[in-house]
Amino acid sequence: MNNTEATRENWNKMARAYEDFNTGDDSYSACIEWPTIKKMLPELSGKRVLDVGCGTGIFTFLLEQYNPKRLVGIDLSEEMLKIAEEKKEARNSIASFIAGDAAKTAKYIDEKFDFIFSSTTTHYITDLNEMFTALSAMLEKNGEMIFSIIHPVYSAQYPKAHGERFPEDEEWVVDYLNHSERAYIQPWIEYNDEIEDFLSKSIHYSMSDYMKAIRQAGLYVDMMEEPAPPTEWEHSTPGRYYSFVETPTYMILKLKKM
Ligand SMILES: C[S@@+](CC[C@H](N)C(=O)[O-])C[C@H]1O[C@@H](n2cnc3c(N)ncnc32)[C@H](O)[C@@H]1O
Protein backbone atom coordinates (compact mmCIF):
# COMPACT_ATOMS: atom_id res chain seq x y z
CA MET A 1 0.00 0.00 0.00
CA ASN A 2 1.48 3.42 -0.92
CA ASN A 3 1.21 6.48 1.37
CA THR A 4 -1.75 8.01 -0.48
CA GLU A 5 -3.66 4.73 -0.28
CA ALA A 6 -2.86 4.45 3.45
CA THR A 7 -4.07 8.04 3.99
CA ARG A 8 -7.32 7.24 2.19
CA GLU A 9 -7.95 4.21 4.42
CA ASN A 10 -7.01 6.18 7.52
CA TRP A 11 -9.55 8.90 6.72
CA ASN A 12 -12.23 6.40 5.79
CA LYS A 13 -11.94 4.99 9.32
CA MET A 14 -11.91 8.38 11.05
CA ALA A 15 -14.70 10.03 9.04
CA ARG A 16 -17.61 9.97 11.56
CA ALA A 17 -15.37 10.80 14.53
CA TYR A 18 -13.91 13.77 12.59
CA GLU A 19 -17.34 15.09 11.71
CA ASP A 20 -18.62 14.77 15.30
CA PHE A 21 -15.58 16.54 16.77
CA ASN A 22 -15.31 19.35 14.23
CA THR A 23 -18.87 20.56 13.82
CA GLY A 24 -19.52 22.00 17.29
CA ASP A 25 -19.70 25.76 17.84
CA ASP A 26 -16.55 25.55 19.98
CA SER A 27 -14.50 23.54 17.45
CA TYR A 28 -10.99 24.83 16.69
CA SER A 29 -12.09 25.42 13.10
CA ALA A 30 -15.10 27.53 14.10
CA CYS A 31 -13.29 29.52 16.80
CA ILE A 32 -9.75 29.98 15.45
CA GLU A 33 -9.54 29.16 11.75
CA TRP A 34 -12.78 30.37 10.11
CA PRO A 35 -12.92 33.90 11.64
CA THR A 36 -9.52 34.66 10.06
CA ILE A 37 -10.28 32.96 6.74
CA LYS A 38 -13.51 34.94 6.44
CA LYS A 39 -11.59 38.23 6.55
CA MET A 40 -9.20 37.05 3.81
CA LEU A 41 -11.79 35.77 1.30
CA PRO A 42 -12.04 37.45 -2.12
CA GLU A 43 -15.41 38.20 -3.74
CA LEU A 44 -16.98 34.78 -4.45
CA SER A 45 -20.38 35.71 -5.79
CA GLY A 46 -20.80 34.23 -9.30
CA LYS A 47 -17.32 32.64 -9.14
CA ARG A 48 -16.15 29.04 -9.64
CA VAL A 49 -14.76 27.61 -6.40
CA LEU A 50 -12.79 24.41 -5.69
CA ASP A 51 -12.35 23.04 -2.15
CA VAL A 52 -9.31 20.73 -2.02
CA GLY A 53 -9.37 18.00 0.65
CA CYS A 54 -12.94 19.08 1.36
CA GLY A 55 -13.61 16.15 3.72
CA THR A 56 -17.17 16.26 5.05
CA GLY A 57 -17.74 19.65 3.39
CA ILE A 58 -17.47 21.82 6.52
CA PHE A 59 -15.77 24.65 4.60
CA THR A 60 -17.43 23.84 1.27
CA PHE A 61 -20.82 24.76 2.74
CA LEU A 62 -19.43 27.82 4.53
CA LEU A 63 -18.07 29.03 1.17
CA GLU A 64 -21.46 28.40 -0.45
CA GLN A 65 -22.91 31.20 1.73
CA TYR A 66 -21.03 33.64 -0.58
CA ASN A 67 -23.04 32.51 -3.66
CA PRO A 68 -20.48 30.99 -6.03
CA LYS A 69 -21.94 29.83 -9.36
CA ARG A 70 -19.99 26.57 -9.24
CA LEU A 71 -18.71 24.73 -6.17
CA VAL A 72 -16.62 21.56 -6.33
CA GLY A 73 -15.03 19.59 -3.50
CA ILE A 74 -12.38 16.92 -4.00
CA ASP A 75 -11.21 14.46 -1.37
CA LEU A 76 -9.44 11.10 -1.21
CA SER A 77 -11.80 9.54 1.31
CA GLU A 78 -15.12 8.12 0.13
CA GLU A 79 -16.36 7.98 3.73
CA MET A 80 -15.68 11.68 4.31
CA LEU A 81 -17.46 12.41 1.01
CA LYS A 82 -20.42 10.23 1.99
CA ILE A 83 -21.05 12.57 4.92
CA ALA A 84 -20.59 15.60 2.64
CA GLU A 85 -23.19 14.14 0.25
CA GLU A 86 -25.68 13.59 3.11
CA LYS A 87 -25.25 17.23 4.16
CA LYS A 88 -25.61 18.38 0.55
CA GLU A 89 -28.96 16.61 0.30
CA ALA A 90 -30.20 18.20 3.52
CA ARG A 91 -29.14 21.69 2.40
CA ASN A 92 -30.15 21.59 -1.23
CA SER A 93 -26.62 22.67 -2.05
CA ILE A 94 -25.12 23.24 -5.52
CA ALA A 95 -21.85 21.52 -4.49
CA SER A 96 -20.44 18.57 -6.48
CA PHE A 97 -18.10 16.18 -4.71
CA ILE A 98 -15.39 14.16 -6.43
CA ALA A 99 -13.30 11.32 -4.98
CA GLY A 100 -9.66 11.73 -5.99
CA ASP A 101 -6.12 12.76 -5.15
CA ALA A 102 -5.58 16.54 -4.82
CA ALA A 103 -2.10 16.19 -6.32
CA LYS A 104 -3.54 14.70 -9.50
CA THR A 105 -6.64 16.85 -9.96
CA ALA A 106 -6.31 16.97 -13.78
CA LYS A 107 -7.20 13.25 -13.82
CA TYR A 108 -10.62 14.00 -12.32
CA ILE A 109 -11.51 17.60 -13.14
CA ASP A 110 -11.32 19.28 -16.53
CA GLU A 111 -12.27 22.89 -15.77
CA LYS A 112 -10.83 26.14 -14.41
CA PHE A 113 -11.59 27.89 -11.13
CA ASP A 114 -11.49 31.50 -9.94
CA PHE A 115 -10.79 30.54 -6.34
CA ILE A 116 -9.20 27.43 -4.83
CA PHE A 117 -9.50 26.75 -1.12
CA SER A 118 -8.00 24.11 1.14
CA SER A 119 -8.08 23.54 4.88
CA THR A 120 -5.70 21.31 6.87
CA THR A 121 -4.94 18.90 4.04
CA THR A 122 -1.38 19.71 2.88
CA HIS A 123 0.33 17.66 5.61
CA TYR A 124 -1.13 14.51 4.01
CA ILE A 125 0.14 15.28 0.51
CA THR A 126 3.23 13.27 -0.40
CA ASP A 127 4.51 15.70 -3.07
CA LEU A 128 3.77 19.39 -2.39
CA ASN A 129 5.35 20.54 -5.67
CA GLU A 130 3.11 18.22 -7.66
CA MET A 131 -0.01 19.39 -5.82
CA PHE A 132 0.59 23.16 -6.06
CA THR A 133 1.58 22.82 -9.75
CA ALA A 134 -1.57 20.80 -10.53
CA LEU A 135 -3.81 23.31 -8.73
CA SER A 136 -2.08 26.34 -10.24
CA ALA A 137 -2.86 24.91 -13.71
CA MET A 138 -6.58 24.86 -12.79
CA LEU A 139 -6.63 28.45 -11.55
CA GLU A 140 -7.68 31.27 -13.88
CA LYS A 141 -5.20 34.10 -14.43
CA ASN A 142 -5.46 36.54 -11.48
CA GLY A 143 -7.23 33.78 -9.56
CA GLU A 144 -6.61 33.35 -5.86
CA MET A 145 -6.16 30.52 -3.40
CA ILE A 146 -6.45 30.31 0.37
CA PHE A 147 -4.56 27.50 2.05
CA SER A 148 -5.16 26.94 5.73
CA ILE A 149 -2.26 24.78 6.83
CA ILE A 150 -1.45 23.07 10.11
CA HIS A 151 1.27 25.50 11.24
CA PRO A 152 4.77 24.08 10.65
CA VAL A 153 5.61 24.85 14.30
CA TYR A 154 2.62 22.73 15.33
CA SER A 155 3.33 19.81 12.97
CA ALA A 156 7.01 19.91 14.05
CA GLN A 157 5.95 18.58 17.45
CA TYR A 158 4.00 15.59 16.09
CA PRO A 159 5.78 12.44 17.30
CA LYS A 160 7.93 10.59 14.78
CA ALA A 161 6.42 7.37 13.40
CA HIS A 162 7.88 4.13 14.75
CA GLY A 163 5.96 1.52 12.82
CA GLU A 164 2.64 0.92 14.55
CA ARG A 165 3.89 1.85 18.04
CA PHE A 166 1.84 4.53 19.82
CA PRO A 167 3.87 7.54 20.98
CA GLU A 168 4.40 8.47 24.63
CA ASP A 169 3.43 11.98 25.81
CA GLU A 170 7.15 12.92 26.03
CA GLU A 171 7.50 12.37 22.28
CA TRP A 172 5.45 15.53 21.55
CA VAL A 173 8.50 17.79 21.17
CA VAL A 174 9.41 20.26 18.44
CA ASP A 175 11.82 18.70 15.91
CA TYR A 176 11.49 21.25 13.16
CA LEU A 177 13.99 20.25 10.48
CA ASN A 178 13.35 16.54 10.89
CA HIS A 179 11.23 15.51 7.90
CA SER A 180 10.47 11.95 8.98
CA GLU A 181 6.90 10.67 8.99
CA ARG A 182 4.78 11.55 12.05
CA ALA A 183 2.25 9.30 13.83
CA TYR A 184 -0.10 10.27 16.66
CA ILE A 185 -3.63 10.07 18.04
CA GLN A 186 -5.86 12.78 16.58
CA PRO A 187 -7.99 14.84 19.01
CA TRP A 188 -11.22 13.51 17.41
CA ILE A 189 -10.07 9.98 18.29
CA GLU A 190 -8.92 10.94 21.79
CA TYR A 191 -12.40 12.28 22.61
CA ASN A 192 -14.31 9.51 20.83
CA ASP A 193 -15.80 6.62 22.83
CA GLU A 194 -16.20 4.25 19.88
CA ILE A 195 -12.68 4.21 18.42
CA GLU A 196 -9.79 3.31 20.74
CA ASP A 197 -6.18 4.38 20.16
CA PHE A 198 -6.18 4.87 16.40
CA LEU A 199 -2.83 5.94 14.94
CA SER A 200 -2.92 8.64 12.26
CA LYS A 201 0.09 9.42 10.07
CA SER A 202 1.08 12.61 8.29
CA ILE A 203 4.06 14.57 7.03
CA HIS A 204 5.73 17.56 8.68
CA TYR A 205 6.65 20.27 6.16
CA SER A 206 8.73 23.32 7.08
CA MET A 207 8.03 26.91 5.99
CA SER A 208 10.65 26.69 3.23
CA ASP A 209 9.07 23.49 1.85
CA TYR A 210 5.83 25.42 1.39
CA MET A 211 7.50 28.54 -0.03
CA LYS A 212 9.51 26.57 -2.60
CA ALA A 213 6.49 24.54 -3.79
CA ILE A 214 4.37 27.72 -4.06
CA ARG A 215 7.01 29.60 -6.10
CA GLN A 216 7.68 26.60 -8.33
CA ALA A 217 3.97 26.45 -9.18
CA GLY A 218 4.02 30.09 -10.40
CA LEU A 219 2.18 31.39 -7.33
CA TYR A 220 3.11 34.04 -4.81
CA VAL A 221 2.08 34.71 -1.23
CA ASP A 222 -0.14 37.78 -1.04
CA MET A 223 -1.06 37.53 2.64
CA MET A 224 -0.28 35.33 5.63
CA GLU A 225 -2.06 35.05 8.98
CA GLU A 226 -1.35 33.06 12.16
CA PRO A 227 -4.70 33.15 14.00
CA ALA A 228 -4.77 33.41 17.78
CA PRO A 229 -7.33 31.58 19.96
CA PRO A 230 -10.37 33.65 21.05
CA THR A 231 -9.54 35.97 23.95
CA GLU A 232 -12.58 34.63 25.91
CA TRP A 233 -10.76 31.29 26.20
CA GLU A 234 -8.17 32.96 28.44
CA HIS A 235 -10.83 33.03 31.20
CA SER A 236 -13.08 30.11 30.22
CA THR A 237 -10.36 27.52 29.41
CA PRO A 238 -6.95 29.02 30.22
CA GLY A 239 -5.05 25.73 29.69
CA ARG A 240 -6.38 25.44 26.16
CA TYR A 241 -5.87 29.18 25.50
CA TYR A 242 -2.20 29.21 26.53
CA SER A 243 -1.39 26.00 24.68
CA PHE A 244 -2.70 27.57 21.42
CA VAL A 245 -0.76 30.77 22.09
CA GLU A 246 2.42 28.79 22.80
CA THR A 247 2.14 26.64 19.65
CA PRO A 248 0.17 28.22 16.80
CA THR A 249 -2.14 25.70 15.14
CA TYR A 250 -2.89 27.32 11.80
CA MET A 251 -0.95 29.23 9.16
CA ILE A 252 -3.25 30.74 6.56
CA LEU A 253 -1.80 31.73 3.20
CA LYS A 254 -3.50 33.72 0.48
CA LEU A 255 -1.85 32.95 -2.86
CA LYS A 256 -2.12 34.60 -6.26
CA LYS A 257 -1.14 33.36 -9.68
CA MET A 258 1.74 35.31 -11.25
C1 LIG B 1 -8.07 17.28 8.45
S1 LIG B 1 -9.14 16.76 7.17
C2 LIG B 1 -9.74 18.33 6.58
C3 LIG B 1 -11.09 18.22 5.93
C4 LIG B 1 -11.75 19.57 5.60
N1 LIG B 1 -10.91 20.37 4.73
C5 LIG B 1 -12.05 20.33 6.88
O1 LIG B 1 -11.30 21.28 7.18
O2 LIG B 1 -12.97 19.94 7.59
C6 LIG B 1 -7.98 16.32 5.89
C7 LIG B 1 -8.67 15.82 4.62
O3 LIG B 1 -7.69 15.68 3.58
C8 LIG B 1 -8.05 14.58 2.79
N2 LIG B 1 -6.87 14.18 2.00
C9 LIG B 1 -5.70 13.69 2.45
N3 LIG B 1 -4.86 13.48 1.42
C10 LIG B 1 -5.53 13.85 0.31
C11 LIG B 1 -5.19 13.85 -1.07
N4 LIG B 1 -4.00 13.43 -1.52
N5 LIG B 1 -6.11 14.29 -1.95
C12 LIG B 1 -7.34 14.70 -1.54
N6 LIG B 1 -7.71 14.72 -0.25
C13 LIG B 1 -6.81 14.30 0.67
C14 LIG B 1 -8.51 13.54 3.80
O4 LIG B 1 -9.27 12.51 3.21
C15 LIG B 1 -9.31 14.42 4.76
O5 LIG B 1 -10.66 14.49 4.39
Side-chain angles (χ1 to χ4, degrees), residues 50-55 72-76 81 98-102 105 108-109:
L50 175 66
D51 183 2
V52 175
C54 61
V72 178
I74 180 167
D75 199 279
L76 261 192
L81 291 177
I98 297 170
D101 181 354
T105 30
Y108 316 94
I109 306 173

Side-chain angles (χ1 to χ4, degrees), residues 57-186:
I58 294 173
F59 285 97
T60 321
F61 299 120
L62 286 171
L63 294 172
E64 189 164 18
Q65 295 170 358
Y66 296 85
N67 299 316
K69 72 170 175 201
R70 173 109 176 103
L71 183 58
V72 178
I74 180 167
D75 199 279
L76 261 192
S77 157
E78 299 84 358
E79 292 301 320
M80 294 291 271
L81 291 177
K82 203 185 274 178
I83 298 172
E85 291 284 0
E86 287 166 11
K87 288 157 68 176
K88 171 188 157 156
E89 267 318 287
R91 285 158 203 259
N92 213 5
S93 157
I94 64 157
S96 307
F97 293 107
I98 297 170
D101 181 354
K104 299 184 172 32
T105 30
K107 261 172 72 176
Y108 316 94
I109 306 173
D110 179 22
E111 61 185 296
K112 293 251 184 189
F113 294 90
D114 305 297
F115 177 63
I116 297 181
F117 176 82
S118 180
S119 163
T120 56
T121 295
T122 49
H123 56 305
Y124 299 103
I125 302 291
T126 45
D127 186 336
L128 278 188
N129 290 337
E130 185 187 26
M131 184 202 65
F132 278 111
T133 302
L135 295 180
S136 178
M138 307 188 85
L139 189 67
E140 281 293 1
K141 197 159 181 275
N142 300 320
E144 291 173 305
M145 298 188 186
I146 288 184
F147 268 78
S148 175
I149 289 168
I150 291 291
H151 201 296
V153 169
Y154 199 90
S155 62
Q157 62 169 355
Y158 285 153
K160 265 82 70 193
H162 296 286
E164 294 311 304
R165 178 173 78 68
F166 283 85
E168 307 291 336
D169 288 349
E170 313 72 87
E171 289 178 66
W172 284 80
V173 285
V174 172
D175 199 1
Y176 189 80
L177 290 177
N178 186 329
H179 281 73
S180 52
E181 189 182 34
R182 309 298 173 114
Y184 45 94
I185 299 173
Q186 297 276 17

